[in-house]
Amino acid sequence: MSHYQVVNPATGENLDTYPTATDDQVQQAITSADNAYRQLLRTTDVAKRAALLKRVGQLHAERREELAAIIVKEMGKPIEQARGEIDFCVDIYDYYADNAETFLADEPIPSPAGGKAFIRRQALGVLIGIMPWNFPFYQVARFAGPNLVLGNTIVLKHAPQCPESALALESIFNDAGFPEGAYVNVFATNDQVADIIADPRVQGVSLTGSERAGAAVAEIAGRHLKKVVLELGGSDVFLVLDTDDIDGVVEMAVAGRLENSGQACNGSKRILVMEDIHDEFVEKFAAAMERIEPADPTDEGAALGPLSSANATETLKGQVQKALEQGAVAKVGGDDPEGNFFSPTVLTQVTPNMDVYHEELFGPVAVVYKVASAEEAVELANSSPFGLGSIVVSKDQEKALRVADQLEVGMVFINEVGGEAAELPFGGVKRSGFGRELGRFGIDEFVNKKLIRIKG
């Protein structure tokens, strides 16, 4: 049976299936990417590669409706959000195309000894990208964009439930004019991925996915001395220090929790609220969450679609049921899902002895905690094994900055939800992984920072 299959999460209908690659096809993919790497270095400069990448962005824009429809069919993202994902991809490709020459310019190093010294950034070679289902185009953009304009080439292993996204992306890079093999899709098994990482022609691996997958990939890469970038899970906090607009903060919290139907690594999964406004916040937040009902993701006005798969639904359902059995209280939701449509759920009275206190909840489930001080909030926030991002809300920017400094995360957004942008680095610490994507730092991961010294 095929490892790659499209199952519409809204209907449960089994659609198309795709066979996994043979070992020969995997070897052909690596060989093609290695040949393309040498061709890119020999026949193109940064400006040429930037022009090709610009065309990739244009093709995303031209095929926006087609690509968005694929996202909806494969993983159930509401159609307006799917279009927004494609728009973000265009921003990313444009950003790296427009800034590549600046980012990759020689970097002088002043030397008291005289002469001349500088860093020249050069590509490493073939990279493998292992991508997830929740943002099937955006995740690829932030990996492939900077690396192709740098001169690396890509072997891309997409999520098993996203084969149509995978093929559509490969077509875009080919149609944009990149040399054959510069971007190669491969429907590989996990065992074949291990072989790809081990191949001496492959110089690095980037994975966005689960903590377990990240640990497995890092172990294999470490044995073969390959550079790794990992963007893993998160249990981000939405920390409300104070506000004179609680309705506005509730609206922000709902948006932070329900993005992508709650299936975002950096979604606001733990909401920490000061005790003087906690009760009012919980009442209004629960009511606002309850008003949002799961809907057909193809509907133009849908704000919340199904979870991505039956397995995802069963996992989240089990986590919520166990939390309730262990003493958590559901202020809203907590009932059995209908198919893969999971009602928004708000849990309170969660304590450290409960499993859910330490877990990532991947779906429209929020946990609200009452805290008595900023110090208690920071301690609770940092008790998570994850350290991806966070949101801090306060009228006092200096106070918010002091709290931000103490949070063990890779990103902090103050008084803002959905602040990610092509120019802003994305990544975490602790068990959320390491390395950065997007921004200037995203092009500096898989690069040879070659020192050149000229005697004066």
Side-chain angles (χ1 to χ4, degrees), residues 215-232:
V217 164
E219 180 182 1
I220 297 165
R223 288 202 305 268
H224 298 282
L225 300 178
K226 304 295 177 70
K227 172 69 184 289
V228 183
V229 168
L230 299 177
E231 196 270 281
L232 309 179

Side-chain angles (χ1 to χ4, degrees), residues 188-202:
T189 65
N190 289 341
D191 287 342
Q192 289 171 330
V193 167
D195 292 338
I196 295 171
I197 296 172
D199 192 290
R201 294 168 293 181
V202 175

Side-chain angles (χ1 to χ4, degrees), residues 228-283:
V228 183
V229 168
L230 299 177
E231 196 270 281
L232 309 179
S235 190
D236 289 13
V237 297
F238 183 97
L239 201 171
V240 187
L241 294 171
D242 56 72
T243 182
D244 54 10
D245 180 16
I246 199 162
D247 292 331
V249 174
V250 165
E251 184 178 345
M252 289 172 61
V254 171
R257 187 65 205 101
L258 296 187
E259 178 195 4
N260 202 28
S261 303
Q263 301 170 115
C265 296
N266 62 327
S268 299
K269 297 166 183 137
R270 298 180 296 151
I271 300 178
L272 283 53
V273 186
M274 291 297 156
E275 60 185 0
D276 60 324
I277 57 174
H278 171 271
D279 292 350
E280 182 183 2
F281 176 90
V282 169
E283 179 183 354

Side-chain angles (χ1 to χ4, degrees), residues 59 61 68 125 246 253 260 272 313 316 383 412 455:
L59 289 173
I246 199 162
N260 202 28
L272 283 53
T313 302
L316 187 62
S383 67
V412 180
K455 185 176 181 180

